[in-house]
């Protein structure tokens, strides 16, 4: 009975996966098609498959080596993850577990920053960094991450921290712990699933971000992958769709790895390791 | 602060706990990075865009104060009005579909099973891709005339033909793309499900509660903060959806095609600001959106008191 | 100018909550000069540019050029942001449609005030980057509106290849024959009447222009109604390929997928199309209204080079532009990548083959038929070009009647031109 149940579960999940992964498979198979055949082809499988697109992609783009591109993207993504996790966790703790006057107002202010489309902020922000002489450095792309500018993550962590039972801090308080220790020893370990979620999202969003690097970076050697991807496209000269997709697939590998590694920590929630920790 | 001593046992309702000495200082300390970020990077540009929304600003010349003219113009601008309808339709379809997919798969994957990590990664894979030119090529291929969607629907007697380039199907294509990339809310749901103490389910099982009762009585209320978060953020995100529409439904006419069927709010806003150099108008559009979505957000927060439960506030 | 500066300073001060404003780094202390140079294009162009820059730096050891490049649309968003921030690059690639957008707002340097060398430009390009007597851009190469066709599809339909002097009536008959023969699989052509440059050549053939010298629309509502009515008729009778079939293969062109036999484009697209299809394509004429009448074709700058009005090094910027326009070695490096070269020296030096050669031969053959290029389009031309396509699209999809669409277009275009 139990076995049957498990088999049914797997069958259902696999069926669902086939639907969900079909476009991904299409993309992978496109990367092995001849560049000219990619658009308008109705066949899933390439005939015959070619590795040329990957060979082209491995050469890098416009004189920028492929390792450099990945290195730039990785540097931005890793620093963003560190900055976002640290700064958002601190901010969220204040909003979720500390009571002080004006908290509601500041919280509303934070939520309101989510509502404004970023396009109209681009130019004023550019002027700030321009007048600080920081354009064409990674500072404009990173400083906001260290200052918890991304309200999405602050709010996410607030929601999780608010669900933690208050008895935990009460007993810690009786033991003489202050906010610093409660934050570090109790709330942070218990918020691990949310912190992992924050890391994963930050990594992927930074990895895929195009507009920020476009605006702030000028020197090709500093380009991350999404900027480089655009360089396969041109109006009048040939667009290399094959290399474009192949490079997109290569660019996916680190994100998949990152997710594979970190999703394991999602499993360990409060009910298993959290309380003991 | 006057203490309401003895009137009511402390902590009966959320938000009623007393401030302890030192809390104000600690709060400020914890908030310091965020406050700095607000002052340096957020408030200034927000005020600047608010100011610009009352001006005629073409990116090059000094902004010229024109009062409410930008705001008045919107109501006579057929493209603006269309962008509002298109966006409303998109939000109404994409948000429920994406959340349902995310919650459904999260519940499916929450049970410990063999290969669980792999399943989770596989379901998350579409969300790793982001909205890129490569994805737009793939998405179009799949919905083309004679491709899988067309054939699949034909097999069950729904002969729609290809979806690409057909105004009546182009928004649904974007909605399905959003729903397909359900990994974000799914992970958040999973994290939320992990946070629910297993003892609750054990206790319920002892009481003889079936799966549906357990879902209603434990999962839903315990998950409600996360559900609220996902609902709110997906709505806000859907109102501002840009990249997918920009990359996939460009049409040759600067986005929004075919025949204006995917003219989403921010796509139009971007076009006004950066293609037509009407940044004053674009800023006014942005602030109208803030007003509209702000209203929806406030309403959600208001109703959330009735259905969102925070263990930390109630204990 | 000062008020713009004051606005930016005020904004910066406001944003920084008082102070911290660093007033531009001074990198012009010594004799060495650094120029920022931005262009749009793909990886191929970047490689060619870098070779040219290396040559330039070798010839001018005191000047360093730092390059920056993006794809076309991304380039213009970045350019708009940088310009708004008062940080435009010293030297920049410019599009003819945006020349006045930037020139009229004092973003570009009047190159006449520098020692830029333009005397070797071919006659058709003399003065083409001028606005109100000031020179804001120098063309690097040119292109011409033309027809591409697929001889094989035409032969299969039993139609002759179009020759110079073909009339619109003959062309429309050709469309009819090919589309009927194609039986819903291949078509004679696409809806060229939704593209503003086709409309422009139609106007030029009739002795009118798209824009008046005063920056207003140079045609009447009735002219556009007539033009779009015929377009709608050919969509309905199946002469044109349906819009959704074009959308399915975007951003590729239907002519590269053997779906249509003819298409109108700027001739420099030929290189891309030829490389994206196995079919043999040829470049053909723009049909004329009356046999022997004007073709409405002219040589348009494919792209120009401009300098920022705020550059600290106008003379060095002019040196770079002169070098890129005139140096024979640069001409050889680029071939037709920036259009068929604009100066005699570079034309002589360029070694053209394949599609590039076909373009050059075509331009040479039609040279006697070319008209003088109209003045640089007014600011807002890019917006109007997009609106034309978008509104014509509404007609194709039956979402708007022709007179309504024309009204909409006039309202939007006049609003754009007024602002």
């Amino acid at each position: 009975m139990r076995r049957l149940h498990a088999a049914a579960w797997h069958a259902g999940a696999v069926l669902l996966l086939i639907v969900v992964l079909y476009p991904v498979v299409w993309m992978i198979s496109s990367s092995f098609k001849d560049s000219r055949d990619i658009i308008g082809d109705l066949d899933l499988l390439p005939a015959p498959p070619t590795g040329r697109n990957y060979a082209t992609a491995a050469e890098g783009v416009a004189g920028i080596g492929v390792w450099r591109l990945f290195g730039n993207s990785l540097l931005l993504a890793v620093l963003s993850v560190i900055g976002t996790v640290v700064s958002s966790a601190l901010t969220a703790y204040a909003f979720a577990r500390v009571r002080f006057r004006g908290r509601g107002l500041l919280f509303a202010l934070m939520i309101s920053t989510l509502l404004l489309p970023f396009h109209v902020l681009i130019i004023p922000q550019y002027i700030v960094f321009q007048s600080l002489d920081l354009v064409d450095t990674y500072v404009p792309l990173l400083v906001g991450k260290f200052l918890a500018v991304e309200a999405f993550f602050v709010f996410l962590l607030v929601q999780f921290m608010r669900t933690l039972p208050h008895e935990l801090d009460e007993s810690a308080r009786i033991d003489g712990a202050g906010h610093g220790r409660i934050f570090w020893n109790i709330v942070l370990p218990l918020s691990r699933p949310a912190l992992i979620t924050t890391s994963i999202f930050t990594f992927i969003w930074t990895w895929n971000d195009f507009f920020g690097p476009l605006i702030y970076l000028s020197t090709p050697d500093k380009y991350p992958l999404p900027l480089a991807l655009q360089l396969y496209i041109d109006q009048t000269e040939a667009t290399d769709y094959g290399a474009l997709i192949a490079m997109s697939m290569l660019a996916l590998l680190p994100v998949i790895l990152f997710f594979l590694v970190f999703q394991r920590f999602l499993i360990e929630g409060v009910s298993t390791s959290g309380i003991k920790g | 602060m006057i203490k309401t001593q003895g009137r009511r046992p402390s902590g009966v309702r959320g938000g009623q706990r007393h401030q302890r000495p030192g809390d104000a200082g600690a709060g400020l300390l914890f908030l310091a990075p965020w406050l700095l970020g607000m002052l340096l990077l957020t408030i200034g540009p927000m005020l600047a865009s608010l100011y610009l929304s009352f001006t005629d600003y073409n990116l090059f010349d000094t902004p010229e104060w024109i009062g409410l003219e930008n705001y008045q113009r919107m109501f006579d601008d057929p493209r603006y009005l269309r962008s509002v309808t298109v966006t409303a339709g998109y939000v109404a379809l994409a948000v429920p579909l994406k959340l349902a997919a995310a919650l459904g798969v999260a519940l499916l994957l929450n049970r410990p099973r063999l290969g669980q990590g792999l399943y989770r990664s596989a379901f998350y894979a579409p969300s790793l891709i982001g909205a890129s030119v490569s994805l737009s090529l793939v998405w179009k291929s799949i919905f083309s005339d004679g491709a899988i969607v067309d054939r699949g629907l034909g097999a069950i007697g729904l002969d729609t033909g290809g979806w690409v380039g057909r105004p009546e199907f182009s928004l649904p294509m974007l909605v399905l793309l959003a729903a397909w990339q359900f990994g974000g809310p799914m992970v958040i749901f999973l994290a939320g499900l992990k946070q629910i103490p297993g003892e609750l389910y054990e206790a319920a099982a002892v009481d003889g509660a079936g799966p549906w009762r357990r879902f209603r009585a434990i999962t839903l209320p315990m998950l409600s903060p996360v559900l609220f978060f996902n609902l709110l953020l997906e709505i806000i995100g859907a109102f501002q959806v840009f990249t997918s529409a920009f990359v996939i439904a460009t049409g040759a006419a600067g986005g929004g095609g075919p025949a204006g069927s995917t003219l989403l709010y921010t796509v139009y806003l971007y076009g006004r600001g950066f293609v037509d150099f009407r940044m004053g108008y674009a800023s006014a559009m942005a602030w109208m959106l803030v007003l509209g979505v702000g209203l929806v957000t406030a309403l959600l927060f208001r109703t959330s008191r009735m259905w969102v439960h925070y263990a930390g506030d109630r204990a | 100018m000062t008020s713009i500066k004051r606005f930016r300073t005020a904004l910066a001060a406001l944003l920084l909550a008082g102070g911290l404003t660093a007033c531009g780094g001074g990198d012009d202390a010594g004799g060495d000069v650094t120029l920022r140079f931005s262009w749009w294009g793909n990886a191929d162009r970047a490689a060619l540019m870098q070779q040219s820059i290396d040559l330039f730096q070798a010839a001018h050891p005191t000047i360093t050029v730092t390059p920056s490049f993006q794809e076309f649309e991304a380039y213009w968003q970045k350019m708009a942001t940088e310009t708004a921030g008062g940080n435009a690059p010293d030297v920049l690639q410019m599009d003819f449609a945006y020349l006045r957008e930037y020139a009229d707002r004092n973003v570009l340097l009047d190159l006449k005030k520098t020692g830029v060398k333009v005397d070797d430009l071919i006659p058709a390009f003399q003065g083409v980057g001028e606005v109100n007597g000031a020179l804001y851009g120098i063309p690097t190469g040119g292109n011409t509106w033309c027809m591409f066709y697929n001889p094989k599809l035409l032969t299969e339909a039993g139609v002759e290849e179009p020759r110079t002097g073909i009339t619109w009536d003959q062309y429309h008959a050709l469309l009819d024959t090919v589309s009927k023969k194609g039986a819903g699989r291949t078509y004679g052509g696409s809806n060229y009447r939704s593209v503003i440059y086709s409309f422009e050549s139609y106007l030029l053939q009739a002795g009118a222009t798209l824009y008046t010298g005063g920056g207003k629309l140079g045609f009447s509502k009735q002219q556009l109604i007539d033009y779009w009515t015929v377009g709608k008729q050919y969509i309905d009778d199946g002469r044109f390929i349906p819009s959704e079939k074009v959308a399915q293969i975007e951003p590729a062109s239907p002519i590269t997928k053997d779906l249509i036999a003819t298409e109108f484009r700027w001739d420099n697209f030929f290189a891309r199309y030829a490389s994206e299809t196995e079919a043999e394509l040829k470049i053909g004429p723009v049909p004329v209204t009356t046999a022997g009448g004007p073709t409405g074709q002219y040589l348009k700058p494919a792209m120009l080079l401009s300098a920022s009005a705020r550059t600290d090094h106008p003379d060095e910027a002019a040196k770079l532009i002169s070098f890129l326009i005139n140096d024979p070695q640069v001409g050889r490096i680029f071939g037709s990548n920036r259009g068929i070269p604009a100066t005699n020296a570079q034309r002589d030096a360029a070694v053209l083959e394949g599609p590039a050669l076909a373009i050059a031969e075509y331009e040479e053959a039609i040279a006697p038929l070319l008209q003088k290029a109209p003045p640089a389009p007014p600011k807002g031309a890019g917006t109007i070009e997009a609106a034309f396509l978008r509104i014509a699209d509404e007609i194709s999809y039956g979402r708007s009647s022709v007179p309504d669409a024309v009204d909409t277009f006039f309202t939007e275009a006049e609003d754009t031109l007024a602002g």
Side-chain angles (χ1 to χ4, degrees):
Chain A
M1 180 63 199
R2 218 184 163 79
R3 272 236 179 111
L4 204 70
H5 208 84
W9 184 92
H10 281 288
V14 167
L15 210 69
L16 210 57
L17 259 187
I18 291 175
V19 175
V20 168
L21 288 186
Y22 184 81
V24 181
V25 174
W26 187 287
M27 205 163 174
I28 295 171
S29 105
S30 288
S31 70
F32 291 101
K33 286 179 182 171
D34 184 289
S35 201
R36 288 178 190 168
D37 295 341
I38 286 171
I39 291 183
D41 191 0
L42 294 178
D43 291 324
L44 176 64
L45 295 177
T50 166
R52 212 172 51 218
N53 300 324
Y54 285 95
T56 312
E59 288 167 12
V61 192
I64 320 165
V66 72
W67 291 112
R68 165 135 243 162
L69 289 171
F70 275 82
N72 290 342
S73 277
L74 204 64
L75 180 72
L76 279 172
V78 169
L79 288 177
S80 297
V81 168
I82 295 169
T84 304
V85 167
V86 171
S87 66
S88 305
L90 286 170
T91 312
Y93 179 82
F95 279 130
R97 310 298 282 194
V98 188
R99 314 215 167 249
F100 54 91
R101 216 193 289 204
R103 186 177 76 160
L105 200 71
L106 287 177
F107 188 75
L109 186 65
M110 182 201 65
I111 295 294
S112 74
T113 64
L114 280 168
L115 305 181
L116 196 64
F118 73 96
H119 296 106
V120 293
L121 300 177
I122 289 176
I123 285 174
Q125 278 172 349
Y126 184 87
I127 293 175
V128 174
F129 289 113
Q130 156 73 9
S131 52
L132 291 172
D133 223 3
L134 289 170
V135 167
D136 203 24
T137 70
Y138 286 162
V139 176
L141 302 175
L142 291 172
V143 69
K145 313 279 163 106
F146 282 87
L147 297 178
V149 161
E150 203 85 72
F152 180 93
F153 297 117
V154 176
F155 187 29
L156 174 71
L157 290 168
V158 166
Q159 288 302 89
F160 274 89
M161 289 181 185
R162 285 180 76 178
T163 57
L164 301 176
H166 259 292
E167 289 83 358
L168 294 170
D169 351 3
E170 298 292 349
S171 53
R173 204 171 284 279
I174 290 163
D175 293 345
H179 277 299
R181 265 178 57 199
I182 295 176
F183 171 70
W184 187 254
N185 291 338
I186 298 173
V187 173
L188 264 198
L190 290 178
S191 305
R192 188 147 68 178
L195 292 172
I196 296 295
T197 308
T198 302
S199 312
I200 292 173
F201 285 11
T202 309
F203 191 92
I204 294 165
W205 291 358
T206 314
W207 191 267
N208 288 333
D209 183 27
F210 172 74
F211 276 96
L214 169 69
I215 297 300
Y216 288 111
L217 301 179
S218 295
T219 310
D221 276 349
K222 295 175 186 158
Y223 283 7
L225 280 159
L227 276 191
L229 279 172
Q230 296 284 322
L231 296 174
Y232 290 111
I233 302 169
D234 193 66
Q235 291 185 303
T236 53
E237 298 296 314
T239 291
D240 193 341
Y241 301 108
L244 174 73
I245 296 186
M247 187 63 116
S248 308
M249 297 316 300
L250 290 181
L252 266 183
L253 290 177
V255 227
I256 290 173
L257 272 178
F258 190 88
F259 186 82
L260 267 175
V261 170
F262 277 83
Q263 63 84 25
R264 306 185 47 199
F265 298 110
L266 282 175
I267 308 172
E268 305 160 29
V270 171
S271 47
T272 55
S273 66
I275 300 278
K276 282 174 270 165
Chain B
M1 203 178 213
I2 302 163
K3 293 190 176 184
T4 50
Q5 269 176 326
R7 293 291 303 271
R8 165 194 296 171
S10 73
V12 166
R13 279 191 53 206
Q16 298 295 313
R17 305 178 137 257
H18 306 311
Q19 185 173 338
R20 295 186 196 86
D23 268 7
L28 218 60
L29 208 64
F30 275 95
L31 276 187
W34 177 76
L35 282 171
L36 199 66
M38 281 300 277
L39 282 175
L40 241 56
L41 301 173
T42 313
I43 301 229
M46 274 178 92
L47 288 178
S49 78
L50 184 62
Y51 165 73
L52 291 175
S53 77
F54 298 109
T55 67
D56 184 5
Y57 177 47
N58 62 21
L59 296 182
F60 306 106
D61 300 321
T62 316
E64 197 184 313
W65 184 267
I66 52 167
L68 287 171
E69 202 181 304
N70 286 327
Y71 290 89
Q72 285 159 352
R73 276 186 140 207
M74 280 176 220
F75 296 97
D76 302 323
D77 177 355
R79 299 199 76 209
Y80 175 80
L81 298 174
R82 183 183 285 178
S83 77
V84 172
T85 359
V86 170
T87 309
Y90 177 83
V91 173
L93 292 172
V95 173
L97 215 57
K98 184 175 182 177
L99 285 183
L103 183 59
V105 175
L107 288 170
L108 188 74
L109 295 185
N110 189 37
R111 303 229 180 135
R113 295 269 184 205
L114 196 68
Q116 194 190 27
L118 275 179
Y119 278 117
R120 219 187 321 231
S121 305
F123 277 113
Y124 195 74
S127 311
L128 295 172
I129 296 176
S132 61
V133 180
S134 310
L135 180 59
S136 87
L137 295 177
V138 172
W139 209 245
K140 272 189 203 152
S141 301
I142 289 172
F143 287 92
S144 283
D145 204 359
I148 182 111
V149 175
D150 179 25
R151 273 183 287 151
L153 290 175
I156 56 168
L158 290 168
D159 208 5
T160 55
W163 287 28
V164 185
R166 305 248 312 265
E168 64 274 32
F169 286 116
S170 45
L171 197 65
M173 266 177 71
L174 287 183
V175 167
L176 286 178
L177 178 67
W180 178 62
Q181 298 190 318
F182 59 80
M186 176 191 82
V187 166
I188 296 173
F189 277 133
L190 274 171
L193 288 169
K194 291 302 162 203
Q195 210 105 330
I196 302 175
E199 300 90 76
L200 289 180
Y201 289 108
E202 284 156 27
V206 171
D207 290 348
W212 177 242
R213 275 270 318 275
R214 287 203 294 267
F215 178 73
R216 285 290 313 269
I218 301 169
T219 313
L220 263 192
M222 292 300 285
L223 204 59
S224 61
V226 170
L227 190 62
F228 175 62
F229 173 86
N230 272 338
L231 180 66
L232 191 69
L233 268 293
E234 287 303 325
I235 288 179
I236 293 174
F239 270 111
Q240 296 181 23
V241 65
F242 176 72
T243 319
S244 64
F246 192 67
V247 182
I248 291 186
T250 49
S261 56
T262 59
L263 187 67
L264 288 157
Y265 201 94
T266 42
V267 172
Y268 186 47
L269 186 155
Y270 169 83
R272 283 316 254 170
F274 282 97
V275 182
D276 304 343
F277 305 109
R278 299 283 174 97
M279 194 46 93
Y281 190 76
S283 302
M285 276 185 70
W287 281 92
M288 278 302 271
L289 187 67
V290 170
L291 274 181
V293 184
L295 211 68
V296 175
T297 308
L299 224 70
L300 268 174
F301 266 103
R302 194 46 61 91
T303 58
S304 77
R305 289 178 198 167
M306 296 187 295
W307 60 274
V308 181
H309 309 279
Y310 298 99
D313 284 351
R314 304 172 88 207
Chain C
M1 278 305 286
T2 47
S3 58
I4 305 172
K5 220 168 171 179
R6 212 179 307 133
F7 165 68
R8 286 205 192 97
T9 321
L11 188 57
L14 167 77
L15 300 177
L16 294 167
L20 286 176
T21 323
C23 273
D27 58 339
D28 46 349
D32 286 4
V33 162
T34 300
L35 288 178
R36 222 149 50 80
F37 174 28
S38 298
W39 67 84
W40 73 80
N42 64 2
D44 295 341
R45 179 170 298 154
L48 305 178
M49 280 287 192
Q50 194 54 55
Q51 290 175 38
S52 310
I53 289 171
D54 290 345
L55 284 177
F56 176 76
Q57 291 181 148
H60 302 85
T62 56
I63 305 177
T64 309
V65 179
T66 57
S68 184
F69 44 84
Q70 292 83 29
E71 168 275 332
F72 185 81
E73 304 225 348
Y75 173 84
W76 286 108
Q77 196 203 346
K78 188 174 169 70
M79 189 57 66
T81 310
E82 289 183 336
T83 309
N87 189 34
D90 298 289
V91 177
L92 56 135
Q93 194 169 302
M94 180 50 66
D95 189 90
F96 202 45
Y98 284 116
L99 184 69
R100 291 199 59 175
E101 199 89 60
Y102 282 78
D104 287 1
R105 282 154 180 162
N106 305 315
V107 176
L108 302 181
L109 182 71
D110 178 3
L111 292 167
K112 277 189 176 161
K113 293 179 181 154
T114 67
V116 73
K117 184 176 170 321
V118 290
D119 52 319
D120 193 37
L121 283 175
I122 61 165
F125 278 147
Q126 292 287 347
V128 82
E130 279 186 28
V131 177
N132 301 327
L135 182 62
Y136 292 115
I138 321 279
T140 62
N143 52 23
T144 306
W145 193 247
C146 69
M147 180 204 288
F148 297 149
Y149 65 91
N150 180 334
K152 187 161 157 267
L153 287 183
L154 291 179
T155 315
E156 278 171 12
V159 179
E160 271 185 44
E161 292 183 26
R163 286 174 203 289
T164 307
I166 181 176
T167 64
W168 286 109
D169 288 341
Q170 288 166 330
Y171 174 67
H172 294 146
L174 175 151
L175 290 181
D176 195 34
T177 314
V178 177
S179 295
K180 283 207 173 103
K181 184 85 181 172
R185 293 178 54 85
T186 52
Y187 296 82
S190 55
N191 183 7
Y192 69 87
R193 288 187 179 232
S194 63
V195 182
I196 202 165
Y197 295 109
S198 275
F199 185 53
E200 183 182 38
S201 56
Y202 160 86
L203 288 174
L204 289 170
Q205 289 180 3
T209 49
L210 214 43
Y211 304 104
T212 66
K216 296 219 158 56
L217 292 178
F219 54 92
S220 69
K221 279 191 180 178
Q222 193 55 48
Q223 277 175 299
L224 186 55
I225 290 178
D226 294 345
Y227 195 69
W228 275 350
T229 302
V230 175
K232 175 67 177 158
Q233 188 190 324
Y234 291 167
I235 293 162
D236 293 343
D237 71 11
R239 271 182 239 222
F240 291 148
I241 184 173
S243 304
E244 60 265 24
K245 294 207 177 198
V246 179
Q248 279 193 11
I249 52 154
E250 242 171 31
S253 152
I255 200 169
T256 64
K257 298 286 167 195
D258 293 348
L259 292 171
I260 55 173
T262 65
E263 182 175 305
F264 293 96
R265 279 278 172 251
W266 295 104
D267 60 12
N268 58 340
F269 277 70
F270 190 68
R272 168 181 160 195
Y273 285 5
S275 75
E276 288 181 7
T277 179
E278 278 154 42
E280 180 209 15
L281 297 181
K282 284 189 179 173
I283 312 178
V286 174
V288 291
T289 313
T290 48
T295 61
Q297 285 172 293
Y298 61 92
L299 195 61
K300 184 186 84 105
M303 57 190 74
L304 307 100
L305 289 174
S306 300
S308 161
R310 291 164 61 96
T311 178
D312 291 329
H313 316 291
D315 294 325
E316 285 80 1
K319 270 185 195 152
L320 177 60
I321 294 176
S322 296
F323 188 82
L324 291 172
I325 304 279
N326 293 296
D327 188 82
Q329 277 181 282
V330 173
R332 187 166 320 126
I333 289 169
F334 276 105
S336 72
N337 184 283
R338 306 178 297 178
I340 302 303
T343 56
N344 294 308
Q346 291 199 340
R347 288 199 159 203
D348 294 342
V351 184
L352 303 176
E353 52 192 12
L357 184 63
I359 299 171
E361 283 175 347
Y362 173 77
E363 286 198 1
E364 207 172 308
I366 59 148
L369 300 174
L370 293 184
Q371 296 178 218
K372 190 177 157 33
K379 60 182 173 200
T383 303
I384 292 173
E385 180 185 334
F388 193 91
L389 189 58
R390 164 167 52 76
I391 294 167
D393 215 25
E394 304 252 327
I395 303 175
S396 310
Y397 281 109
R399 295 268 166 135
S400 179
S401 73
V402 174
D404 286 352
V406 171
D407 277 341
T408 310
F409 175 77
F410 266 73
T411 312
E412 284 191 30
E414 281 164 0
D415 178 53
T416 303
L417 290 171

